[in-house]
Amino acid sequence: MGSKPWLQPAPTYRTLETYWDSDDDAPGPRCGHTLTAVAATKTHGPRLILFGGATAIEGGASSSAPGIRLAGVTNSVHSYDVLTRKWTRLRPAGEPPSPRAAHAAAAVGTMVVFQGGIGPAGHSTDDLYVLDLTNDKFKWHRVVVQGEGPGPRYGHVIDLVAQRYLVTVSGNDGKRVLSDAWALDTGQKPYVWQRLNPEGDRPSARMYATASARSDGMFLLCGGRDSSGAPLADAYGLLMHRNGQWEWTLAPGVAPSPRYQHAAVFVGARLHVTGGVLRGGRAVEGEAAIAVLDTAAGVWLDRNGLVTSSRNTKGHAEYDPSLELMRRCRHASASVGVRIYIYGGLRGDMLLDDFLVAENSPFQSDMNSPVLTPERAMNLSSPRFNQPNLSSFGMTPTSDDGSEFPSSASLSMDKNSMEKLREASAAEAEAANAVWQAAQAASSVPAEETSVSDDNSPAAETASDASDNDADVRLHPRAVVVAKEAVGNLGGMVRQLSLDQFENESRRMIPSNNDLSYPTKKFTRQKSPQGLHKKVISTLLRPRNWKPPANRSFFLDSYEVGELCYAAEQIFMQEPTVLQLKAPVKVFGDLHGQFGDLMRLFDEYGFPSTAGDITYIDYLFLGDYVDRGQHSLETITLLLALKIEYPENVHLIRGNHEAADINALFGFRIECIERMGENDGIWAWTRFNQLFNYLPLAALIEKKIICMHGGIGRSIHSVEQIEKLERPITMDAGSIILMDLLWSDPTENDGIEGLRPNARGPGLVTFGPDRVTDFCKRNKLRLIIRAHECVMDGFERFAQGQLITLFSATNYCGTANNAGAILVVGRGLVVVPKLIHPLPPPIQSPETSPERVTDDAWMQELNIQRPPTPTRGRPQPDLDRSSLAYI
């Protein structure tokens, strides 16, 4: 795997000066303790809670007995205030847990849960002790858990997974080293431990490993010592699928060194690993002492960058004080924002009492949102232990260094591109008009009767304001951008851009002063004959190294296309017309056969496979998979294969180009014939269009966000109207509702309300911000996400942010020079735009890159014959007034 500039190396740690009022408030030297970050409360900022550990050692160099023995095991609690940098000893009310070391701890909102360990009296019980820090009256609670549990053990790990499940793994019960895994649902009373039987590649038995839960729900087990005493270098991710099944997955990459008795904690998608020892207690030294596992990129990094082989040796490199600082074991680490904190530990026979800090890279890899910063740490959420939907640190990402971010002015179109896009699209208008006339003739409702429903309509009867207690939907203040390809090492840099830095995205909005639960779905796979869909995935899902075929031949024959369509069709037939989805969801706009852009989006922001991110985030595609671009066949066949492989996690809805009347004219039919032969091509094109009639028509995310291809037009006032559309459905047999859903657009800007004629063709309309507000209010929705129109920044807000247009294909039709984008809807319903820029023209000559030239020529010839609909917001020239595209 090639290194990228945004794969930032591991950080350097430094000593942090801290304060306390009395010696009793200072934690002092210790090892085998825990350090846990706790969310802010109404009266306190974020804190680190240090508990237990050994405060003395016996033996060592001054003793005749070999080795050392830990002593002075304690159950004291110390709190570090991140904002004031002050230590305070806490004396909570209630019965405390017994003195212990080598125990495990996890934060649950503003509480800390402790379990297991070993003390002067031997193994601690497996009781769960909770330290409640919600208010100023700190208190210990012992949690009553019914049934069998993990049992007494030490050297194990525990953390909160998916903001709900306490998961504990491995350890030693005094008889043997363990490999079992247990989970406790904190949202379900009575509390019960469940012994897990995960699928996948299971880790071997180990103790003194580390584990940390990523914010999206992945539990990562790292390193440890096996039953023979050998240190381990592997890492395993544990994930729970939506059907309740857990699965282990071996993490990719080469670790700098095996280790145990180390520390590890996540910041974003980067697991920061420090210290540890090898066999015989020899410290991990040199650059290997500080490492990062970037789980988004699947690579290990040290301070020199990408690690390709184990670097820990017995040799002596040049002395580096910062690396010597990290030569320790049995220490503890925690993170708040982008900062990683480390306290204490053991170096040789010396207990440590120093406090170290480092900062994660500002260009960190991330799952769903840009970088977290410590300045926003006081905004942490404070969920309670007994709530089913516990949330972890809910920090608002920010970044102050605006100079690092490029302006989006480079996305502006040049004069020639503007003129090309202003050309009339008479052919497309004619096709739209023909479909509209057919739909109007088939509909029993005259067009003039569908303009607006009155207050006595069924939709109006059910309308009400959304509850103030509902979780709000909001667009993140920054978008994630992959910079344009550049000469040197700057190409591919991932950056974040404030929304106000986009030149085009918000131009339609007029400044204003007014600035739910479904049954869990199964994670199953639909079979296709002889694993055909797997053949498609293995051939096409290559985000890094996919290349278009040199002779434009297609690798499937018509029989295989038919089998693939049949398998996918069986799934679509069982789905509702309006899909009901749960966050997180990654949403894609129009692709239009630009398969290279789909691969780039997968490469930069994750792709749907178990090696990617499908186990914890769904994929939703908003239609227009075919036409205009060079590789409609690759685009639609891969998406169908992914639907078959992950039927509950990959979702496709219909666009206006998923119709025979349209894609017969705008490239898909021609592509099928040219690449598969006339007979096979026409048969395949016909079969694809039969499948398209079964596609769902919209999707609801958490009952708060509705996603569709076009819009609400004149006729759609309730989600129920869409739900009542029966499939299979063709455009000419469909209703005006279907036409509005797939063809309508928002008006030019927030200042144009009501309904207006649509330049796409007679009978089609645009709808104003008042229609958007009314629709959202009636249906208790917070946001409409739609596609259908090319927008310069890849996404564009309308109706004061209540509607977002999304377009994922870059440089649409080779002339628009637009960016492509996806929207990532997180669990908290924060929507994060993620962008890619158009690729520059190829540097290679036609002789060295014939497939690029062939593809470009094919697309350009088609689009000259049938010009695309102009980019959203670009004016129509006067010479178009006689065209059907001008109204």
Side-chain angles (χ1 to χ4, degrees), residues 701-714:
I701 301 175
E702 301 284 1
K703 293 185 179 179
K704 297 289 173 54
I705 303 172
I706 189 166
C707 303
M708 59 188 66
H709 180 73
I712 55 177
R714 86 207 69 192

Side-chain angles (χ1 to χ4, degrees), residues 706-743:
I706 189 166
C707 303
M708 59 188 66
H709 180 73
I712 55 177
R714 86 207 69 192
S715 63
I716 303 175
H717 305 283
S718 70
V719 176
E720 186 180 17
Q721 289 176 273
I722 308 172
E723 292 174 333
K724 288 181 178 179
L725 293 175
E726 295 183 359
R727 298 167 296 140
I729 186 171
T730 60
M731 290 291 189
D732 54 355
S735 66
I736 295 172
I737 293 174
L738 182 64
M739 292 300 300
D740 279 343
L741 189 65
L742 301 187
W743 283 90

Side-chain angles (χ1 to χ4, degrees), residues 115-117 123-126 150-154 172-174 178:
Q115 198 264 343
H123 286 79
S124 305
T125 66
D126 67 347
R153 63 181 65 197
Y154 69 97
N172 190 317
D173 63 0
L178 305 170

Side-chain angles (χ1 to χ4, degrees), residues 480-651:
V480 178
V481 183
V482 177
K484 289 185 178 180
E485 295 293 326
V487 177
N489 293 327
L490 295 179
M493 178 76 77
V494 173
R495 303 190 176 199
Q496 297 158 50
L497 200 60
S498 174
L499 295 188
D500 59 15
Q501 291 180 268
F502 285 91
E503 181 183 75
N504 298 286
E505 183 275 324
S506 62
R507 60 183 174 73
R508 297 199 156 221
M509 294 198 304
I510 295 176
S512 171
N513 295 326
N514 302 322
D515 267 341
L516 312 166
S517 174
Y518 297 95
T520 299
K521 289 190 175 183
K522 296 179 180 178
F523 187 83
T524 57
R525 291 179 170 89
Q526 178 80 14
K527 292 183 179 179
S528 61
Q530 292 80 44
L532 174 61
H533 72 282
K534 292 184 180 293
K535 170 186 173 180
V536 173
I537 293 172
S538 64
T539 303
L540 295 180
L541 188 57
R542 298 183 177 183
R544 286 276 158 96
N545 54 16
W546 178 82
K547 292 183 180 179
N551 58 1
R552 282 191 58 78
S553 63
F554 190 56
F555 69 101
L556 296 182
D557 59 31
S558 60
Y559 173 81
E560 291 173 312
V561 167
E563 295 295 340
L564 189 74
C565 287
Y566 176 80
E569 196 172 76
Q570 298 308 301
I571 305 173
F572 293 133
M573 290 171 64
Q574 302 302 316
E575 292 185 324
T577 299
V578 178
L579 301 172
Q580 306 286 349
L581 308 182
K582 296 175 72 68
V585 182
K586 201 180 295 184
V587 187
F588 291 70
D590 289 22
L591 293 168
H592 277 300
Q594 296 187 201
F595 190 74
D597 284 335
L598 179 61
M599 290 299 100
R600 289 177 62 206
L601 288 164
F602 281 172
D603 183 27
E604 299 296 348
Y605 300 125
F607 57 95
S609 84
T610 51
D613 56 12
I614 192 65
T615 49
Y616 62 82
I617 190 168
D618 278 11
Y619 283 68
L620 172 62
F621 298 86
L622 301 186
D624 277 14
Y625 313 114
V626 300
D627 282 347
R628 297 292 189 188
Q630 315 96 303
H631 299 103
S632 293
L633 281 169
E634 282 85 355
T635 303
I636 187 59
T637 52
L638 177 60
L639 293 182
L640 292 179
L642 291 170
K643 180 65 181 179
I644 297 168
E645 180 74 358
Y646 308 109
E648 306 294 340
N649 305 86
V650 173
H651 313 282

Side-chain angles (χ1 to χ4, degrees), residues 52-111:
T55 60
I57 57 174
E58 298 173 351
S62 60
S63 171
S64 57
I68 60 172
R69 178 183 175 86
L70 300 180
V73 177
T74 180
N75 62 353
S76 64
V77 183
H78 296 261
S79 172
Y80 174 76
D81 189 309
V82 172
L83 302 179
T84 63
R85 292 163 56 184
K86 183 177 179 181
W87 285 104
T88 304
R89 178 165 181 177
L90 305 182
R91 290 178 170 81
E95 180 185 353
S98 60
R100 61 189 68 194
H103 54 284
V108 182
T110 53
M111 303 183 182

